[in-house]
mmCIF file of all heavy atoms in Angstrom:
data_model
loop_
_atom_site.group_PDB
_atom_site.id
_atom_site.type_symbol
_atom_site.label_atom_id
_atom_site.label_comp_id
_atom_site.label_asym_id
_atom_site.label_seq_id
_atom_site.Cartn_x
_atom_site.Cartn_y
_atom_site.Cartn_z
ATOM 1 N N THR P 87 -5.964 -7.807 -5.408
ATOM 2 C CA THR P 87 -6.647 -7.609 -6.683
ATOM 3 C C THR P 87 -5.674 -7.798 -7.836
ATOM 4 O O THR P 87 -6.003 -8.437 -8.843
ATOM 5 C CB THR P 87 -7.288 -6.202 -6.742
ATOM 6 O OG1 THR P 87 -8.227 -6.085 -5.675
ATOM 7 C CG2 THR P 87 -7.971 -5.950 -8.073
ATOM 8 N N PHE P 88 -4.454 -7.279 -7.689
ATOM 9 C CA PHE P 88 -3.431 -7.434 -8.724
ATOM 10 C C PHE P 88 -3.136 -8.911 -8.974
ATOM 11 O O PHE P 88 -3.120 -9.366 -10.118
ATOM 12 C CB PHE P 88 -2.154 -6.692 -8.310
ATOM 13 C CG PHE P 88 -1.009 -6.904 -9.260
ATOM 14 C CD1 PHE P 88 -0.973 -6.240 -10.469
ATOM 15 C CD2 PHE P 88 0.016 -7.767 -8.939
ATOM 16 C CE1 PHE P 88 0.080 -6.442 -11.354
ATOM 17 C CE2 PHE P 88 1.071 -7.976 -9.812
ATOM 18 C CZ PHE P 88 1.110 -7.314 -11.019
ATOM 19 N N VAL P 89 -2.922 -9.666 -7.923
ATOM 20 C CA VAL P 89 -2.633 -11.100 -8.063
ATOM 21 C C VAL P 89 -3.815 -11.805 -8.717
ATOM 22 O O VAL P 89 -3.636 -12.643 -9.614
ATOM 23 C CB VAL P 89 -2.274 -11.740 -6.709
ATOM 24 C CG1 VAL P 89 -2.195 -13.255 -6.807
ATOM 25 C CG2 VAL P 89 -0.953 -11.175 -6.183
ATOM 26 N N ASP P 90 -5.020 -11.462 -8.301
ATOM 27 C CA ASP P 90 -6.207 -12.080 -8.906
ATOM 28 C C ASP P 90 -6.275 -11.791 -10.408
ATOM 29 O O ASP P 90 -6.639 -12.673 -11.197
ATOM 30 C CB ASP P 90 -7.486 -11.598 -8.222
ATOM 31 C CG ASP P 90 -7.662 -12.182 -6.824
ATOM 32 O OD1 ASP P 90 -6.992 -13.194 -6.509
ATOM 33 O OD2 ASP P 90 -8.464 -11.619 -6.053
ATOM 34 N N GLU P 91 -5.939 -10.581 -10.822
ATOM 35 C CA GLU P 91 -5.958 -10.232 -12.240
ATOM 36 C C GLU P 91 -4.871 -10.982 -12.999
ATOM 37 O O GLU P 91 -5.101 -11.448 -14.112
ATOM 38 C CB GLU P 91 -5.791 -8.714 -12.436
ATOM 39 C CG GLU P 91 -7.002 -7.915 -12.034
ATOM 40 C CD GLU P 91 -8.246 -8.281 -12.830
ATOM 41 O OE1 GLU P 91 -8.160 -8.422 -14.074
ATOM 42 O OE2 GLU P 91 -9.316 -8.439 -12.223
ATOM 43 N N ILE P 92 -3.690 -11.111 -12.418
ATOM 44 C CA ILE P 92 -2.597 -11.852 -13.046
ATOM 45 C C ILE P 92 -2.997 -13.315 -13.244
ATOM 46 O O ILE P 92 -2.702 -13.923 -14.272
ATOM 47 C CB ILE P 92 -1.298 -11.761 -12.212
ATOM 48 C CG1 ILE P 92 -0.757 -10.341 -12.205
ATOM 49 C CG2 ILE P 92 -0.242 -12.754 -12.687
ATOM 50 C CD1 ILE P 92 -0.231 -9.862 -13.526
ATOM 51 N N LYS P 93 -3.700 -13.878 -12.265
ATOM 52 C CA LYS P 93 -4.117 -15.285 -12.365
ATOM 53 C C LYS P 93 -5.048 -15.522 -13.552
ATOM 54 O O LYS P 93 -5.098 -16.625 -14.086
ATOM 55 C CB LYS P 93 -4.813 -15.725 -11.073
ATOM 56 C CG LYS P 93 -3.864 -15.965 -9.925
ATOM 57 C CD LYS P 93 -4.636 -16.406 -8.701
ATOM 58 C CE LYS P 93 -3.742 -16.739 -7.556
ATOM 59 N NZ LYS P 93 -4.497 -17.159 -6.359
ATOM 60 N N LYS P 94 -5.764 -14.501 -13.965
ATOM 61 C CA LYS P 94 -6.683 -14.644 -15.097
ATOM 62 C C LYS P 94 -5.933 -14.829 -16.413
ATOM 63 O O LYS P 94 -6.473 -15.374 -17.361
ATOM 64 C CB LYS P 94 -7.595 -13.420 -15.202
ATOM 65 C CG LYS P 94 -8.588 -13.305 -14.064
ATOM 66 C CD LYS P 94 -9.393 -12.032 -14.186
ATOM 67 C CE LYS P 94 -10.321 -11.849 -13.000
ATOM 68 N NZ LYS P 94 -11.036 -10.566 -13.071
ATOM 69 N N GLU P 95 -4.683 -14.359 -16.456
ATOM 70 C CA GLU P 95 -3.848 -14.479 -17.656
ATOM 71 C C GLU P 95 -2.881 -15.639 -17.430
ATOM 72 O O GLU P 95 -1.798 -15.474 -16.906
ATOM 73 C CB GLU P 95 -3.081 -13.171 -17.905
ATOM 74 C CG GLU P 95 -3.973 -11.972 -18.097
ATOM 75 C CD GLU P 95 -4.837 -12.073 -19.335
ATOM 76 O OE1 GLU P 95 -4.419 -12.716 -20.323
ATOM 77 O OE2 GLU P 95 -5.946 -11.507 -19.330
ATOM 78 N N LYS P 96 -3.296 -16.825 -17.807
ATOM 79 C CA LYS P 96 -2.574 -18.057 -17.491
ATOM 80 C C LYS P 96 -1.099 -18.014 -17.884
ATOM 81 O O LYS P 96 -0.233 -18.367 -17.091
ATOM 82 C CB LYS P 96 -3.260 -19.253 -18.146
ATOM 83 C CG LYS P 96 -2.704 -20.587 -17.692
ATOM 84 C CD LYS P 96 -3.558 -21.717 -18.208
ATOM 85 C CE LYS P 96 -2.990 -23.048 -17.832
ATOM 86 N NZ LYS P 96 -3.301 -23.493 -16.515
ATOM 87 N N ILE P 97 -0.776 -17.563 -19.090
ATOM 88 C CA ILE P 97 0.613 -17.536 -19.540
ATOM 89 C C ILE P 97 1.430 -16.564 -18.689
ATOM 90 O O ILE P 97 2.536 -16.886 -18.247
ATOM 91 C CB ILE P 97 0.705 -17.165 -21.035
ATOM 92 C CG1 ILE P 97 0.080 -18.279 -21.883
ATOM 93 C CG2 ILE P 97 2.145 -16.915 -21.450
ATOM 94 C CD1 ILE P 97 -0.083 -17.925 -23.332
ATOM 95 N N VAL P 98 0.890 -15.387 -18.448
ATOM 96 C CA VAL P 98 1.585 -14.395 -17.629
ATOM 97 C C VAL P 98 1.792 -14.934 -16.222
ATOM 98 O O VAL P 98 2.885 -14.840 -15.658
ATOM 99 C CB VAL P 98 0.795 -13.062 -17.593
ATOM 100 C CG1 VAL P 98 1.439 -12.067 -16.639
ATOM 101 C CG2 VAL P 98 0.682 -12.481 -18.986
#
Side-chain angles (χ1 to χ4, degrees):
T87 300
F88 175 77
V89 171
D90 288 343
E91 288 300 315
I92 293 292
K93 285 181 176 180
K94 292 176 184 176
E95 301 296 330
K96 189 171 177 82
I97 294 171
V98 175

